[in-house]
Amino acid sequence: MKIIKQCLVLLVSLIFATSCNTKNKPMATIKIPVAKKNPKELTKHNDVRIDDYYWLNDREDKEVIAYLEEENAYYNTLTAHTKDFQTTLFEEMKGRIKEDDASVPYKQNGYWYTTRYEIGKEYPIFARHKGEEKAAEEIMFNCNELAKGHDYFNLGGISISSDNNLAAFGVDTISRREYTIKIKNLTTEEVYEDVIENTTGSSVWAADNKTLFYTKKDPVTLRSDKIYKHKLGTAATEDVLVYEEKDETFSSFIYKTKSKKYIVIGSSSTLTTEYRFLETSNPDGEFKIFSKRKRGLEYSIAHYGNEFFVLTNKDKAFNFKLMKCDENATEADHWKEFIPHREGVLLEDIDIFKAYYVLSERENGLNNLKIVRWDTYAAYYLPFENETYTAYVGANPDFDTNILRYGYNSLTNPSAVIDFNMDDKSKEIKKEQEVLGGTFDKNNYKSERIWATARDGVKIPMSVVYHKDTKLDGSSPLLQYAYGSYGYTIDPYFSTVRLSLLDRGFIYVIAHIRGGEYLGRKWYENGKLLQKKNTFTDFIDCSTHLIEQKYTSKDHLYASGGSAGGLLMGTILNLAPELYNGVVASVPFVDVVTTMLDESIPLTTGEYDEWGNPNVKDYYDYMKSYSPYDNVVAQAYPTILVTTGLHDSQVQYWEPAKWVAKLRDLKTDSNLLFLDTNMEAGHGGASGRFEALKEVAKEYAFLLDLEGKIKI
């Protein structure tokens, strides 16, 4: 079936929508949701904005809930003809996944740890084996049992004491990323009465096996701002505050160095970092500052021997360099250059082993892993030949080993976990992702990297994948995806879920636009703050290139993005709606000005270095000029699906709700517009591994319906 039109009928002062299938048989008749207007003046810098839908920001208001439920009913009714197909897609995607799957065990402190799933179960089982991989299994947490009675469940932040007997862990049952930390005795299986609420879920044990450090969140803004010390067997009310981050643009966190010698407190904003450290053997001591924060100075630290290695942008090293210092003289004045800055190579990370260190680099958008011996400094790169691949260092908690575990996949190759012997350069594929169903053959798919020219002359890379039988003559449907913020790079990765589009003739494109870090740090810097519009115009220019090169056409081009990528979707819809036949905006950040002016909203103040502080007029004016909600106008928009979660802590549900309400009021077309709100979930959607596929099935059914490709 294919959505051809939406007939508008005015009857008894009510507006109705009739969606028709290809045989012109009416599928559904339902009232189009219309949110009431309750104008609110918002004034800043003598500029007045009128927000008709500000009232939607109260999730406790029954009228708000009623409106969201009305939108859900509208969406469910007008997509009812796709429900069976959604089930088909869900079963198809689920059928490619090995249900009784398990991660490759990794070794830590004498135990092999693994995560596995059982057939028909939604949640993981965390287990370990003592001494060797084939030893008897010890189940630490069966999340299928723990999740009973909860609509949402997530267990994370497992931290094992150095004597291997205790596990601290965090649980979130709301989906607002607020975790309650508990402690379990892995020998007796007793869960102690220690309960620590409103945390990030992460924690670190001191060497005494009874002192636990953790990060607490502000209950309103959800900013992680305090580090506490907890003594086993005591009430959380007795916990000692060891550090408070008072700068509202910073967040704090805590971890243990791989050497196990130090516990480290980190404070970070978008542009600045600062660390404090304390020996794990001295939990009641005072944390010592590593190097005082300096605006624009970013650094991270790794410990080896009697030295710290510092990955930093010091001295205008925009692509970062590696420095080192003695562990007793750690201020920036004592840092000495170890690996110099390279203008064309982004230095992303360092992993330290007893005999080697491994550098994660990015050059011309491609991942490189460089292995170097400490004693001779002899170095070599792992060979990768594709242009649409992702390679990364995996879990390597064991310090005294010559084995590097890394991951590799590409747009056409399933994920592989590989153990590489750094001495003799041999490798063992420990696991390659199985694609079940009996129909997958990687030789049936093609991938390539192409470049579009942006309006300012800059070349924008795109990673492309499609089935070998898909025509490249402009007639094929194409889904263009991007994120484009925070320097976060979307590498070309393999997806079994994506096969459901590729096998039905879709081309899939990842646009590596500015705002990410695909082509280095400057690629990020040129897509943020007062250059943020490059992110949006890059995406549009990529779309134009794909049409001009006949990968697709305007009638078959679709766009998708989530969170900050949802902001991207909202902006391109205002700037170039005529280019797209349909758009999916997931948990979209679309009310930029209002949100960034509200310091009570979670995470707002920490975003100033990304978007700008609207209390400064230049930033206010600039973000207002692109904010999707503020720039909705009376024009034709394509068919749009917007998704959100009522309990989202990252992008509050009212942003997409307000945006959809305003679009409904102003758009001049008769194309369908949907708002689908998950009334139980937050930013990450459903918590079960298969339940999440149902949300993907909704989005794919939306796209395939527009292409007339629904077949049960």
Side-chain angles (χ1 to χ4, degrees):
M1 297 181 181
K2 182 177 181 179
I3 298 172
I4 291 183
K5 62 181 179 177
Q6 180 179 9
C7 310
L8 301 180
V9 180
L10 184 62
L11 180 61
V12 196
S13 74
L14 294 177
I15 302 175
F16 288 83
T18 300
S19 178
C20 305
N21 63 18
T22 55
K23 295 182 180 180
N24 294 319
K25 293 179 180 179
M27 287 157 40
T29 302
I30 185 173
K31 177 185 174 184
I32 296 177
V34 177
K36 73 175 184 181
K37 292 184 178 181
N38 186 8
K40 181 178 178 63
E41 284 193 4
L42 301 171
T43 304
K44 191 70 178 180
H45 305 298
N46 296 317
D47 177 60
V48 179
R49 292 179 300 128
I50 305 297
D51 189 345
D52 289 327
Y53 306 105
Y54 189 88
W55 65 275
L56 285 170
N57 72 349
D58 183 3
R59 66 169 53 85
E60 303 300 324
D61 186 335
K62 292 181 179 179
E63 194 172 358
V64 171
I65 299 300
Y67 170 70
L68 297 177
E69 290 176 340
E70 185 181 3
E71 284 282 5
N72 280 352
Y74 178 75
Y75 164 72
N76 288 325
T77 301
L78 290 186
T79 59
H81 65 289
T82 73
K83 296 302 182 185
D84 288 344
F85 183 59
Q86 289 179 34
T87 300
T88 298
L89 286 173
F90 169 74
E91 295 297 339
E92 179 179 291
M93 292 184 287
K94 181 180 176 183
R96 297 192 191 103
I97 299 172
K98 185 179 180 183
E99 290 198 46
D100 54 342
D101 203 4
S103 65
V104 179
Y106 65 87
K107 186 180 180 183
Q108 183 173 359
N109 198 24
Y111 280 80
W112 291 87
Y113 289 86
T114 187
T115 304
R116 65 178 179 84
Y117 291 88
E118 293 181 341
I119 294 175
K121 302 295 181 63
E122 289 281 351
Y123 295 97
I125 295 172
F126 296 101
R128 65 180 185 174
H129 307 259
K130 186 176 182 179
E132 57 184 31
E133 290 185 55
K134 295 182 180 180
E137 180 185 66
E138 299 177 18
I139 293 179
M140 298 186 296
F141 303 101
N142 185 339
C143 294
N144 298 290
E145 296 297 323
L146 297 172
K148 289 181 178 179
H150 299 290
D151 292 318
Y152 178 91
F153 181 85
N154 186 27
L155 185 149
I158 299 174
S159 177
I160 308 297
S161 60
S162 57
D163 64 4
N164 292 314
N165 289 328
L166 302 175
F169 62 100
V171 172
D172 174 15
T173 58
I174 302 296
S175 188
R176 278 181 65 79
R177 302 187 184 183
E178 294 179 274
Y179 290 82
T180 297
I181 291 178
K182 300 181 181 181
I183 299 170
K184 181 177 181 179
N185 187 309
L186 297 177
T187 302
T188 66
E189 298 191 356
E190 177 187 2
V191 177
Y192 294 141
E193 293 183 359
D194 307 55
V195 174
I196 308 169
E197 297 180 336
N198 197 33
T199 77
T200 63
S202 298
S203 58
V204 174
W205 288 100
D208 63 0
N209 302 304
K210 63 180 181 181
T211 305
L212 188 72
F213 293 89
Y214 63 91
T215 310
K216 205 168 182 67
K217 287 188 170 186
D218 182 282
V220 176
T221 66
L222 299 187
R223 183 172 67 95
S224 50
D225 60 345
K226 297 180 180 67
I227 307 296
Y228 279 89
K229 178 173 60 178
H230 175 79
K231 293 294 185 180
L232 187 64
T234 65
T237 54
E238 299 177 20
D239 292 353
V240 177
L241 178 67
V242 296
Y243 176 71
E244 180 176 6
E245 179 51 70
K246 295 184 179 180
D247 188 327
E248 293 183 348
T249 66
F250 280 72
S251 295
S252 57
F253 54 93
I254 192 161
Y255 70 95
K256 188 183 296 185
T257 60
K258 187 174 179 179
S259 66
K260 304 295 188 292
K261 185 174 182 179
Y262 293 106
I263 293 172
V264 180
I265 293 174
S267 291
S268 68
S269 68
T270 305
L271 297 175
T272 309
T273 49
E274 182 181 71
Y275 292 88
R276 290 164 170 77
F277 62 108
L278 174 70
E279 290 194 32
T280 57
S281 60
N282 183 28
D284 294 324
E286 295 292 327
F287 279 85
K288 176 185 176 183
I289 194 167
F290 189 89
S291 186
K292 292 181 180 179
R293 68 186 64 178
K294 179 181 178 182
R295 176 73 176 176
L297 177 63
E298 299 175 63
Y299 69 94
S300 58
I301 58 178
H303 180 253
Y304 175 72
N306 296 317
E307 295 178 309
F308 280 102
F309 286 80
V310 185
L311 184 64
T312 180
N313 66 346
K314 187 175 184 289
D315 305 319
K316 298 182 180 180
F318 60 85
N319 268 338
F320 289 78
K321 62 181 177 179
L322 194 64
M323 306 185 80
K324 67 176 183 177
C325 62
D326 187 275
E327 61 185 355
N328 295 311
T330 60
E331 279 290 343
D333 292 344
H334 298 289
W335 299 354
K336 298 178 181 178
E337 192 168 276
F338 185 67
I339 296 177
H341 173 256
R342 292 161 290 173
E343 187 167 343
V345 179
L346 175 65
L347 184 56
E348 295 185 317
D349 204 359
I350 179 173
D351 285 86
I352 290 177
F353 299 85
K354 183 177 181 179
Y356 296 89
Y357 63 89
V358 179
L359 301 176
S360 295
E361 302 175 349
R362 185 182 296 273
E363 184 174 9
N364 195 32
L366 304 180
N367 305 123
N368 292 316
L369 300 180
K370 185 178 183 179
I371 299 171
V372 188
R373 284 193 66 95
W374 284 111
D375 52 359
T376 65
Y377 295 113
Y380 59 91
Y381 285 93
L382 289 179
F384 304 117
E385 299 177 356
N386 205 313
E387 270 198 328
T388 58
Y389 72 88
T390 299
Y392 54 91
V393 173
N396 291 274
D398 196 4
F399 174 73
D400 189 5
T401 179
N402 64 345
I403 300 298
L404 167 69
R405 175 163 293 174
Y406 71 95
Y408 175 87
N409 68 90
S410 74
L411 287 172
T412 58
N413 289 273
S415 299
V417 177
I418 301 167
D419 278 0
F420 181 80
N421 188 310
M422 294 182 282
D423 289 338
D424 62 21
K425 300 182 182 180
S426 62
K427 69 178 183 180
E428 178 185 1
I429 299 177
K430 301 295 291 185
K431 180 182 179 180
E432 186 172 64
Q433 181 183 7
E434 293 184 57
V435 183
L436 304 183
T439 61
F440 174 74
D441 180 351
K442 64 182 179 182
N443 296 312
N444 286 334
Y445 305 91
K446 294 183 178 180
S447 67
E448 55 184 306
R449 187 167 65 158
I450 61 176
W451 301 74
T453 302
R455 59 197 65 187
D456 61 357
V458 173
K459 297 294 185 181
I460 312 298
M462 292 179 277
S463 297
V464 183
V465 62
Y466 50 89
H467 194 281
K468 66 179 183 180
D469 295 334
T470 298
K471 296 179 180 179
L472 303 181
D473 61 0
S475 65
S476 296
L478 185 151
L479 179 59
Q480 181 182 337
Y481 171 81
Y483 185 73
S485 292
Y486 304 104
Y488 184 70
T489 298
I490 306 295
D491 282 311
Y493 62 97
F494 182 80
S495 167
T496 62
V497 171
R498 189 188 301 139
L499 296 175
S500 290
L501 287 182
L502 302 184
D503 290 347
R504 290 176 172 85
F506 261 80
I507 301 167
Y508 186 85
V509 175
I510 301 172
H512 305 292
I513 54 181
R514 281 174 282 187
E517 220 165 50
Y518 185 79
L519 291 181
R521 182 67 175 205
K522 284 188 175 180
W523 202 246
Y524 169 43
E525 299 290 343
N526 290 331
K528 62 184 291 193
L529 296 174
L530 297 178
Q531 298 187 79
K532 187 62 198 172
K533 290 182 182 179
N534 285 335
T535 300
F536 316 130
T537 55
D538 281 359
F539 190 92
I540 292 170
D541 293 340
C542 285
S543 298
T544 301
H545 180 83
L546 291 166
I547 293 170
E548 290 175 346
Q549 297 302 310
K550 295 192 179 301
Y551 283 88
T552 190
S553 65
K554 293 181 180 180
D555 291 337
H556 300 287
L557 177 58
Y558 303 90
S560 174
S563 194
L567 161 65
L568 171 64
M569 294 300 102
T571 307
I572 65 158
L573 278 168
N574 288 331
L575 295 177
E578 73 283 354
L579 288 181
Y580 308 96
N581 193 44
V583 170
V584 178
S586 306
V587 292
F589 172 43
V590 286
D591 190 12
V592 183
V593 179
T594 306
T595 291
M596 293 304 298
L597 281 169
D598 188 349
E599 296 180 4
S600 71
I601 293 177
L603 311 178
T604 293
T605 54
E607 304 281 290
Y608 287 164
D609 287 334
E610 179 70 23
W611 313 104
N613 183 347
N615 294 296
V616 178
K617 189 174 186 303
D618 285 347
Y619 287 117
Y620 173 89
D621 291 340
Y622 188 78
M623 66 176 64
K624 182 186 174 185
S625 72
Y626 68 75
S627 174
Y629 183 64
D630 291 290
N631 289 280
V632 174
V633 295
Q635 65 177 347
Y637 287 88
T639 305
I640 305 170
L641 170 62
V642 182
T643 66
T644 188
L646 182 63
H647 300 289
D648 196 329
S649 61
Q650 311 299 109
V651 177
Q652 305 296 321
Y653 74 88
W654 58 77
E655 291 197 40
K658 289 166 53 177
W659 180 45
V660 167
K662 191 171 183 179
L663 280 168
R664 285 206 190 286
D665 183 51
L666 292 178
K667 73 190 191 80
T668 60
D669 59 90
S670 58
N671 293 320
L672 289 167
L673 169 61
F674 295 130
L675 173 64
D676 179 28
T677 303
N678 187 324
M679 304 302 283
E680 306 295 339
H683 198 64
S687 57
R689 62 171 175 156
F690 296 130
E691 282 299 311
L693 293 179
K694 293 179 180 178
E695 298 181 0
V696 178
K698 285 183 178 182
E699 296 179 7
Y700 282 12
F702 170 79
L703 298 171
L704 290 162
D705 190 27
L706 289 170
E707 282 294 312
K709 291 179 177 289
I710 287 187
K711 294 180 181 179
I712 308 301

